[in-house]
Amino acid sequence: MIGSGWNLRRLLNVVVLMCVAAVFVAVPLAASANPDVDGFELEGNAAVDSGNDWHNADSTALVFTGFRSDPTNDDDTGYGSGLTKDTADVSQWTWEQADVTPAKSDIVNDYAAAYVEDGNLILYFGQNRQLDREGDANVGFWFLQDGIALAGGPDKGTFDGSHVDGDLLVQSEFTNGGDVSGIRVYKWQSGGIVEVTTNVGECADGKLGTLDACAIVNSGTISTDWAGDITSPYFFEGGVNLSALFPQSLPCFSTFLTNTRTSQSESADLKDFGLGGIDTCASVKITKQATPSDSTQFGYSTTGGLDPASFSLASGGTQSYMKLQPGNYSVTENAPPSGWALDSLSCPNVQNPGTSVQITDATANITLGFLGHVECTYVNKRQPQVKVVKVFLPANDPGKFD
């Protein structure tokens, strides 16, 4: 009797374990839920074929850095001595003006662009270097939230700015001067870099696809609008799905920095860099116009987490909200001061997919998509006034008039 019950319990446990195993087999990893992103061509060249590519990024991207040039002589600005490593904070980096050596680490151009594809925010990035196949090399792409600038000078100094949790680093390795041998994605977290995904690889079928990030180099000589012909493998491009890496809240990147180092080690000394701005966030701007224009203040209230939640503007004043997440917001003009009335509310500047405005009386209901931007103008006019003046002739006449 005891033995039969024990066997029954064993059988039930086996059944439960099999069911649990079946559930785990049936549920895919989160990374596999990414859409099949294929709008921007990642095939190791810049030519536009069936989708978008670098040759039309200036007219198709939500934001595009342009093809930034980096000197390849004594006028170049590269990393200096000290803790110039990806594992160190930006504030610990140094720079110096000098010819960057070896040539394999010398950047010629860099570029980045943002697109919304299949409901996801995608960053594409690229770099081309001097033609030198000697030894291992490594390229990196930082997307930073803080504004980064060079300090000191005239020929050496430090970096002004710091890392913020959520800063993104994409690295790719080259072995023996050859093709892409690996791609890694890190974020800055609690004072260091942490690898955030393994759903990465070399770009296949000319697209990012369902990967979180991919990269590819040119397999033959290609023609470009910005650098002429580039031989293999000195043109590098890649893409990263920000929506997949940050499903809860997207970082607001304001700086794009690309770099090189001479080995595959994460702590290798950095060599060359290119530095510039990029804006991946949404924004709202409110402008006040009043007739006649004077110092009268008009009050406003907001929803959606805008900070400040309330504000006041006089004629000619503006209130801007930067670094906003996609979502719903509203701005309402409060009851105007005595003698004034709201004449009109218009939002003529509405930019980027998924962004819209609905106006109801004194309220602008705003929906911001990725990199959405909205500008609204409130116009108030002073209401007509009637003033009655009584004149007595003679002036000392005490008469009264109704």
Side-chain angles (χ1 to χ4, degrees):
M1 185 73 174
I2 296 176
S4 298
W6 183 79
N7 288 333
L8 179 59
R9 285 195 297 273
R10 288 187 61 190
L11 178 60
L12 289 174
N13 289 336
V14 171
V15 171
V16 169
L17 289 174
M18 290 177 64
C19 291
V20 171
V23 169
F24 280 110
V25 170
V27 177
L29 295 175
S32 65
N34 292 353
D36 187 12
V37 176
D38 62 356
F40 190 93
E41 299 165 2
L42 293 173
E43 54 197 357
N45 64 49
V48 178
D49 296 321
S50 59
N52 296 315
D53 213 320
W54 296 110
H55 279 173
N56 69 352
D58 59 340
S59 61
T60 60
L62 298 182
V63 61
F64 176 48
T65 62
F67 300 106
R68 304 186 311 202
S69 298
D70 193 59
T72 56
N73 52 26
D74 291 341
D75 294 328
D76 199 357
T77 300
Y79 286 100
S81 58
L83 287 175
T84 55
K85 307 173 186 293
D86 280 328
T87 53
D89 198 352
V90 175
S91 59
Q92 297 177 288
W93 295 351
T94 63
W95 63 270
E96 63 181 10
Q97 183 176 325
D99 188 17
V100 173
T101 58
K104 67 176 183 178
S105 298
D106 201 355
I107 299 169
V108 179
N109 300 101
D110 61 67
Y111 21 94
Y115 286 81
V116 173
E117 297 176 349
D118 297 292
N120 285 227
L121 181 59
I122 313 297
L123 282 178
Y124 294 101
F125 46 87
Q127 178 195 111
N128 49 283
R129 299 172 296 128
Q130 284 215 66
L131 313 183
D132 187 337
R133 300 181 66 95
E134 295 298 324
D136 295 348
N138 192 293
V139 296
F141 299 85
W142 274 110
F143 295 95
L144 305 159
Q145 298 165 81
D146 199 7
I148 307 299
L150 301 184
D155 56 1
K156 63 177 58 178
T158 58
F159 285 74
D160 185 14
S162 298
H163 274 307
V164 177
D165 283 355
D167 285 353
L168 189 67
L169 171 63
V170 182
Q171 292 180 344
S172 187
E173 301 164 356
F174 296 80
T175 56
N176 296 321
D179 294 340
V180 174
S181 63
I183 182 171
R184 296 177 180 175
V185 181
Y186 302 89
K187 69 175 180 179
W188 186 267
Q189 189 69 41
S190 302
I193 58 173
V194 179
E195 193 164 8
V196 294
T197 179
T198 58
N199 184 33
V200 298
E202 188 169 5
C203 303
D205 300 322
K207 61 183 180 180
L208 175 60
T210 60
L211 295 176
D212 291 339
C214 77
I216 193 170
V217 296
N218 57 324
S219 58
T221 300
I222 64 170
S223 177
T224 70
D225 290 344
W226 67 91
D229 290 346
I230 302 177
T231 58
S232 174
Y234 303 106
F235 168 76
F236 174 96
E237 63 175 345
V240 58
N241 188 329
L242 292 185
S243 297
L245 295 179
F246 301 96
Q248 303 301 321
S249 179
L250 293 169
C252 287
F253 297 127
S254 60
T255 302
F256 168 55
L257 183 148
T258 180
N259 61 31
T260 58
R261 62 175 183 257
T262 55
S263 78
Q264 299 176 39
S265 171
E266 299 169 15
S267 59
D269 288 338
L270 301 174
K271 302 298 293 183
D272 199 8
F273 67 87
L275 175 64
I278 190 171
D279 187 359
T280 65
C281 289
S283 59
V284 171
K285 181 180 180 180
I286 304 298
T287 299
K288 162 56 61 183
Q289 294 179 1
T291 304
S293 179
D294 60 19
S295 60
T296 301
Q297 294 286 325
F298 298 83
Y300 297 85
S301 57
T302 70
T303 65
L306 296 177
D307 186 16
S310 61
F311 60 94
S312 297
L313 295 175
S315 184
T318 61
Q319 173 68 47
S320 294
Y321 293 98
M322 312 299 291
K323 296 186 175 182
L324 298 179
Q325 292 289 317
N328 296 316
Y329 305 87
S330 74
V331 178
T332 301
E333 183 174 274
N334 303 333
S338 178
W340 290 87
L342 177 63
D343 184 68
S344 66
L345 165 57
S346 62
C347 301
N349 193 349
V350 179
Q351 300 179 14
N352 293 334
T355 301
S356 63
V357 179
Q358 296 293 326
I359 296 175
T360 303
D361 299 326
T363 299
N365 295 293
I366 301 169
T367 298
L368 292 175
F370 294 120
L371 281 70
H373 177 68
V374 169
E375 295 184 12
C376 297
T377 300
Y378 286 83
V379 179
N380 290 70
K381 291 185 178 180
R382 181 176 290 164
Q383 295 175 311
Q385 296 178 332
V386 176
K387 183 177 183 180
V388 178
V389 178
K390 170 58 67 178
V391 178
F392 291 93
L393 293 175
N396 60 353
D397 189 332
K400 295 182 179 180
F401 301 84
D402 292 330

